[in-house]
Amino acid sequence: PFASRLFLQPLPTVGMPQVDEVSQRWNKPAYQALKCARRCYAHMAGELAVAQYDMLLRCKYLEQGLEHGGPGLQLSAAGKTWAAELGLQLPSTGNARLAYACMDWSERREHLAGTLATALLQHHLAQDWLRADSQSRGLVLTPKGRRELVALLDAGLSRDAIKNVAA
C-alpha cells in the first residue's frame, strides 16, 4: 500500500541529485523513441511537443484568452500569420478547446493540447516530418523532419534525443 511505501523510502542524501522511477524508466534505450515524440490522444507529446509549445509561447504565437467562458490559450495575430505561412488549416473548434496545456509525463513539462495541437500533428504527418509507428503511439522523426521541424522549433533539442530517434 501507498502508506507503507511512503514510510519505507530512504531519506534523500543532501547534495545528491534524486532520480525517481519515472526518470529512470524514460532513460532506458527502449523508451528513447517514445520520449522524443509520441501521440497523446490526438496530439503530440514528448520532447518535440514540449519544444513546440515552448516555441509557440516564446514567439508569442499563443496568448491567454477566454474560451467557452473560461481561461484558455488562443492564437495571437502573430500566431495566425505564422500558421498561415506554415500552411496550417486552422480548425473550427465548435465545443472543443483550441489550445491548452497538457502535462507531459516523460518531460515533466507542458506540451500543447486542443484542436490546434491536433491540427499541428496532422500537418507534421502530412509534411512527412513525422511518421506514425504502427506498433505503438510512437512518432518517428524523419530525415526531412530533422531538417525542417527541428529548425522550425529552434528547440535546442539534445543531440542524444535526435540521434536516438529512428530515421
Side-chain angles (χ1 to χ4, degrees):
F2 175 75
S4 64
R5 284 187 313 187
L6 183 66
F7 292 106
L8 295 176
Q9 295 295 317
L11 293 173
T13 306
V14 176
M16 297 293 292
Q18 300 300 309
V19 179
D20 60 29
E21 288 179 36
V22 175
S23 297
Q24 287 176 343
R25 181 182 324 130
W26 284 106
N27 284 329
K28 292 181 181 178
Y31 288 106
Q32 289 302 300
L34 287 175
K35 185 177 183 337
C36 181
R38 65 184 177 280
R39 287 183 187 267
C40 176
Y41 301 99
H43 59 267
M44 183 172 60
E47 191 174 20
L48 285 174
V50 169
Q52 177 175 260
Y53 185 63
D54 287 349
M55 181 274 297
L56 292 168
L57 294 174
R58 183 178 65 248
C59 294
K60 300 188 183 338
Y61 294 154
L62 290 175
E63 61 189 12
Q64 292 295 323
L66 292 178
E67 185 177 46
H68 302 294
L73 294 168
Q74 61 189 25
L75 281 170
S76 65
K80 289 176 184 173
T81 300
W82 171 81
E85 289 172 356
L86 189 62
L88 184 67
Q89 296 293 325
L90 292 178
S92 66
T93 59
N95 290 332
R97 293 164 55 188
L98 176 70
Y100 59 95
C102 180
M103 182 55 70
D104 193 291
W105 41 269
S106 65
E107 300 307 302
R108 304 275 179 93
R109 296 184 47 220
E110 294 174 332
H111 61 249
L112 184 67
T115 58
L116 176 61
T118 299
L120 281 165
L121 175 55
Q122 293 308 313
H123 176 270
H124 300 345
L125 290 166
Q127 294 298 312
D128 194 36
W129 294 347
L130 297 170
R131 290 189 190 139
D133 181 341
S134 62
Q135 303 300 311
S136 72
R137 294 183 306 138
L139 296 167
V140 178
L141 183 63
T142 66
K144 185 177 179 185
R146 287 180 194 219
R147 288 188 313 272
E148 297 179 28
L149 180 58
V150 172
L152 176 74
L153 299 180
D154 188 26
L157 294 170
S158 72
R159 296 286 175 225
D160 289 339
I162 293 171
K163 183 174 56 177
N164 288 331
V165 189

